[in-house]
Amino acid sequence: MIRVGLFSQDAALELLLSSAMGKEFQFFHQQEEDGIWELIEDRNCDIIVLDLNSHHEGVHERVECATRLIAEGTTVVVLVDDKMRATASDLVRQGAYGYLRRPPSIRELRLMLCRAYESSLIKQVPEPEPAVPSDREAMVGTSAAMQRVHQLIDCVASIEASVLVVGESGTGKELVARAIHTRGSRARKPFVAVSCGAIPETLIEAELFGHEKGAFTGTVGAREGLFEQAGDGTLFLDEIGELSPYTQVKLLRVLQQREFSRLGSNKLTPLRARLVFATHRDLGELVAEGKFRQDLYYRINVMKIETPSLEEHAEDVPQIAMHFLRRYAQSFGKQVTSIDAGAMTVLQNYSWPGNVRELENAMQQAVIMADGRQIMTAHLPAHLREDSPEVEIAESLPSGSFERQLRDYKIRLAETAIREHNGNKTMAARSLSISRAYLHRLIRSAEPVGFLAVESREPVSMARYS
């Protein structure tokens, strides 16, 4: 949530913004300068919105206050009527983030406040020593699947070959791209990331290539595109499968010629940046369907790195969960330091269809809910708790009871499915329409008495199923 201090003489403005801006924003209205300084001193706001209405009294005093706020490093956004636009421009030159005409467009105000908030976070981070940034902490996990990803990154980091990162949503494809960047010779250069699916088709070309003044309707001046912004660094094009056929042709030419031109210009500019691509879609299928150019596919798919789903490296869940616990405990100022054994069991038993991104969301909520030093099961999202019934232990069920027979029947079904799929637990779970985590629980519940073979009913070693 972004906390906004509204410095205005208009009480109705706060009611309007509070209702229209949504739950992501919390407004604190103050009419007096002392109240604004108290908000800042108590750290109860992230941004100050200064309302400059020429018809209100004390407008010049509020401008002087804004000048002092800017000098102190406070992030300030200004709302002005037409008579005060020159004053607002002067405040921006002094360091205010930006200004909007009042009454503001809610969409434009929301966008400006979000960007101003991101800018304020960057200002709070101390300037690091000139050194190669490390990605090891960001890519958490020591499983065989994650070690394989690290090996592939190390292989390709110092080579200028095109890299295609594929995997389900939420598996950390951008982290892999950043790791390729930071482990290579371009580590001290810019890393520019863009989601091709998030930019309208009518704007994607201008975003990539840039444009000259008057290149199309609505352009005010010349603008660098992402190819230029990346410079000698790395440009990460996420969701490459969303590009239109026309843009695919333009991108293919850039990759072939290693040069491009801005819209509205004939001047060719060399492409200096390294390109890394990513998608959660099967590009091979898109090629077969005629939705993705085959020649472009071969251009970008020189080296492929596949990010595993969280279910495929479930042994990393405790380590990743603790990573997010430490991050959000520090971010929220909470004293949470550990995860209760029962809560950890719930985390390990869940199948995580949303992958690491879902785990991060769950841990963020758990840290917020925690009222002590430990995250308990009750602090986890409800759907995690509902999807994680207690593991049935053979000794706890009376011999011959209905529950015991039902448990043994489930175990035999699981064992048969695993055999039929040559030990592949993921495929076995899908054939039974259960989660892989639940299949693991069945296996663990059988371990005290041995996993039953369907034909011989003799105990079978669990080593090859683990």
Side-chain angles (χ1 to χ4, degrees):
M1 179 180 291
I2 301 176
R3 299 165 300 177
V4 182
L6 179 60
F7 191 10
S8 173
Q9 299 297 305
D10 188 352
L13 183 60
E14 189 229 345
L15 296 175
L16 170 65
L17 296 181
S18 296
S19 61
M21 292 288 285
K23 296 180 179 179
E24 303 129 28
F25 299 88
Q26 183 177 10
F27 287 87
F28 299 90
H29 181 219
Q30 293 290 340
Q31 294 187 351
E32 303 297 332
E33 179 178 339
D34 291 345
I36 288 296
W37 286 108
E38 286 179 8
L39 283 177
I40 295 172
E41 290 171 2
D42 295 339
R43 298 184 178 181
N44 285 333
C45 68
D46 304 302
I47 304 169
I48 295 297
V49 171
L50 173 66
D51 179 27
L52 295 183
N53 187 333
S54 59
H55 299 291
H56 289 163
E57 295 181 0
V59 64
H60 297 295
E61 288 77 5
R62 289 197 295 280
V63 171
E64 293 176 0
C65 175
T67 300
R68 292 192 293 272
L69 290 170
I70 294 168
E72 292 286 336
T74 305
T75 302
V76 176
V77 170
V78 186
L79 302 180
V80 293
D81 58 21
D82 287 337
K83 292 182 179 180
M84 301 294 295
R85 289 180 69 179
T87 302
S89 297
D90 185 55
L91 288 173
V92 171
R93 283 192 292 271
Q94 293 178 42
Y97 183 81
Y99 75 88
L100 292 171
R101 294 176 63 184
R102 67 184 318 276
S105 159
I106 297 301
R107 179 178 176 276
E108 291 179 355
L109 180 59
R110 183 182 291 113
L111 182 61
M112 180 171 286
L113 290 182
C114 287
R115 289 179 175 174
Y117 178 63
E118 292 172 0
S119 175
S120 70
L121 292 179
I122 293 173
K123 287 194 296 184
Q124 292 171 17
V125 178
E127 190 69 25
E129 294 293 326
V132 177
S134 171
D135 61 273
R136 296 284 179 175
E137 290 187 4
M139 294 184 63
V140 180
T142 56
S143 63
M146 289 303 297
Q147 290 303 318
R148 174 62 176 165
V149 172
H150 282 293
Q151 290 171 4
L152 292 175
I153 292 172
D154 289 335
C155 286
V156 78
S158 58
I159 301 173
E160 291 299 311
S162 295
V163 180
L164 176 62
V165 186
V166 299
E168 297 177 8
S169 296
T171 53
K173 294 187 289 295
E174 183 172 340
L175 290 180
V176 171
R178 287 184 180 276
I180 293 171
H181 174 74
T182 58
R183 297 185 201 179
S185 59
R186 300 174 182 266
R188 294 183 177 88
K189 304 298 182 180
F191 177 88
V192 178
V194 60
S195 174
C196 299
I199 302 176
E201 184 179 339
T202 54
L203 297 178
I204 185 67
E205 189 179 359
E207 288 292 320
L208 291 175
F209 295 90
H211 59 77
E212 296 294 342
K213 181 178 180 180
F216 52 88
T217 304
T219 55
V220 177
R223 183 176 181 274
E224 283 188 347
L226 296 173
F227 288 133
E228 288 182 80
Q229 292 175 28
D232 292 311
T234 301
L235 175 60
F236 173 55
L237 296 177
D238 196 6
E239 299 305 342
I240 191 69
E242 306 300 325
L243 289 180
S244 68
Y246 174 75
T247 308
Q248 291 178 35
V249 173
K250 300 276 287 187
L251 177 60
L252 176 62
R253 179 173 177 79
V254 172
L255 296 178
Q256 289 174 334
Q257 305 297 327
R258 299 295 299 178
E259 59 186 14
F260 63 94
S261 59
R262 293 182 182 180
L263 300 185
S265 172
N266 294 322
K267 179 184 177 182
L268 292 175
T269 303
L271 175 66
R272 308 195 312 272
R274 177 181 192 164
L275 299 185
V276 178
F277 308 91
T279 182
H280 73 283
R281 305 182 67 178
D282 188 331
L283 292 186
E285 287 187 4
L286 294 181
V287 169
E289 296 170 1
K291 297 179 180 178
F292 199 84
R293 292 184 63 93
Q294 188 177 57
D295 45 6
L296 178 59
Y297 175 62
Y298 290 138
R299 278 281 178 182
I300 68 177
N301 191 24
V302 176
M303 178 70 176
K304 179 187 288 185
I305 299 178
E306 186 167 357
T307 54
S309 67
L310 186 52
E311 192 175 35
E312 291 173 322
H313 62 115
E315 59 267 43
D316 289 327
V317 166
Q319 187 178 354
I320 298 172
M322 286 301 301
H323 168 76
F324 288 131
L325 181 149
R326 288 188 289 269
R327 173 189 291 181
Y328 289 110
Q330 181 179 9
S331 176
F332 300 146
K334 304 289 287 273
Q335 300 299 314
V336 190
T337 58
S338 63
I339 302 174
D340 171 71
M344 185 62 79
T345 299
V346 172
L347 295 175
Q348 290 178 288
N349 285 342
Y350 186 63
S351 58
W352 299 110
N355 296 299
V356 177
R357 186 177 295 137
E358 184 181 7
L359 175 55
E360 178 180 7
N361 180 271
M363 291 306 300
Q364 186 174 4
Q365 176 176 327
V367 171
I368 293 173
M369 295 294 293
D371 51 6
R373 291 184 172 272
Q374 195 170 49
I375 287 178
M376 310 300 290
T377 303
H379 300 145
L380 298 175
H383 69 278
L384 267 66
R385 304 194 302 269
E386 294 168 358
D387 196 52
S388 184
E390 294 183 0
V391 177
E392 300 169 327
I393 304 300
E395 285 78 0
S396 67
L397 299 175
S399 178
S401 68
F402 173 77
E403 289 81 5
R404 176 67 174 267
Q405 294 180 54
L406 180 60
R407 184 193 69 86
D408 290 345
Y409 178 66
K410 291 180 179 179
I411 290 173
R412 287 195 292 273
L413 286 177
E415 190 269 352
T416 301
I418 291 175
R419 286 187 186 278
E420 289 177 349
H421 292 87
N422 299 318
N424 188 317
K425 295 187 290 296
T426 299
M427 296 302 297
R430 288 177 182 173
S431 69
L432 295 172
S433 297
I434 61 176
S435 71
R436 192 170 184 267
Y438 184 63
L439 182 67
H440 272 287
R441 290 199 295 273
L442 288 175
I443 293 173
R444 287 199 300 272
S445 71
E447 286 176 343
V449 294
F451 202 81
L452 299 177
V454 173
E455 293 84 1
S456 64
R457 301 297 178 89
E458 294 178 355
V460 176
S461 169
M462 294 302 298
R464 65 190 181 90
Y465 297 119
S466 59

